[in-house]
Amino acid sequence: MRDGFAFSTRFRVRYAEIDGQKVVFNSRYLEYADVAATDFWEWTGIEAALGDVWRHTEFHVRKAEVDYLKPFVWGDTVEAHVRIARVGGSSLTMAMDLTHADTGVLHAQIVMVMVNVHLPTGRPLAIGDTVRTFLEAL
């Protein structure tokens, strides 16, 4: 496990994800972040622990930043390390390190700021105490 991260998930680079230069196309890294975040939320057990409180909490990505350090290529196995870096008033920041699963070399770092949204109005909504307590314990 990578320092500072309690969770990781793995997946292989598929042929459809590479570009004409035979490396993973840059937009695919955000798809990798989505896969990793989905696996992370399942790993936390938050839905089982909080039930409807979590199911009715809606986070939308507000900002995503990718630092491309070294390209992945077709057939590589990506290990995505995920953690909650910050819990704010209405937002949370998720940090991800994408490493090569076999070598441990860091290929990309992703930071995503997600805002809790009140769906009927589309406006930011404070993170509820139950959700906040769960997130801060991760």
Side-chain angles (χ1 to χ4, degrees):
M1 191 56 57
R2 193 163 177 79
D3 278 349
F5 295 87
F7 170 81
S8 72
T9 188
R10 291 180 175 201
F11 43 88
R12 289 184 55 85
V13 173
R14 300 171 302 165
Y15 180 78
E17 297 166 347
I18 63 172
D19 62 17
Q21 298 167 330
K22 299 186 175 148
V23 298
V24 172
F25 186 64
N26 58 2
S27 68
R28 298 294 185 152
Y29 287 79
L30 292 177
E31 291 178 36
Y32 291 169
D34 184 59
V35 169
T38 299
D39 289 353
F40 173 79
W41 290 125
E42 185 176 321
W43 170 81
T44 67
I46 196 167
E47 184 173 4
L50 303 184
D52 281 343
V53 170
W54 177 247
R55 284 189 285 278
H56 295 150
T57 300
E58 184 66 37
F59 284 99
H60 292 187
V61 175
R62 170 71 170 92
K63 178 182 177 182
E65 206 172 278
V66 182
D67 190 5
Y68 302 97
L69 304 170
K70 180 178 178 156
F72 285 107
V73 299
W74 178 33
D76 282 348
T77 300
V78 177
E79 185 162 11
H81 307 266
V82 182
R83 67 182 170 84
I84 301 295
R86 179 182 175 277
V87 179
S90 64
S91 67
L92 65 86
T93 302
M94 188 174 276
M96 300 179 188
D97 281 3
L98 303 185
T99 64
H100 192 287
D102 297 328
T103 66
V105 171
L106 180 63
H107 284 241
Q109 292 183 300
I110 300 172
V111 176
M112 291 191 317
V113 176
M114 293 176 265
V115 176
N116 184 29
V117 174
H118 179 250
L119 286 178
T121 64
R123 303 286 305 156
L125 181 67
I127 297 172
D129 291 340
T130 306
V131 173
R132 174 180 303 286
T133 299
F134 190 95
L135 295 174
E136 289 175 344
L138 293 176

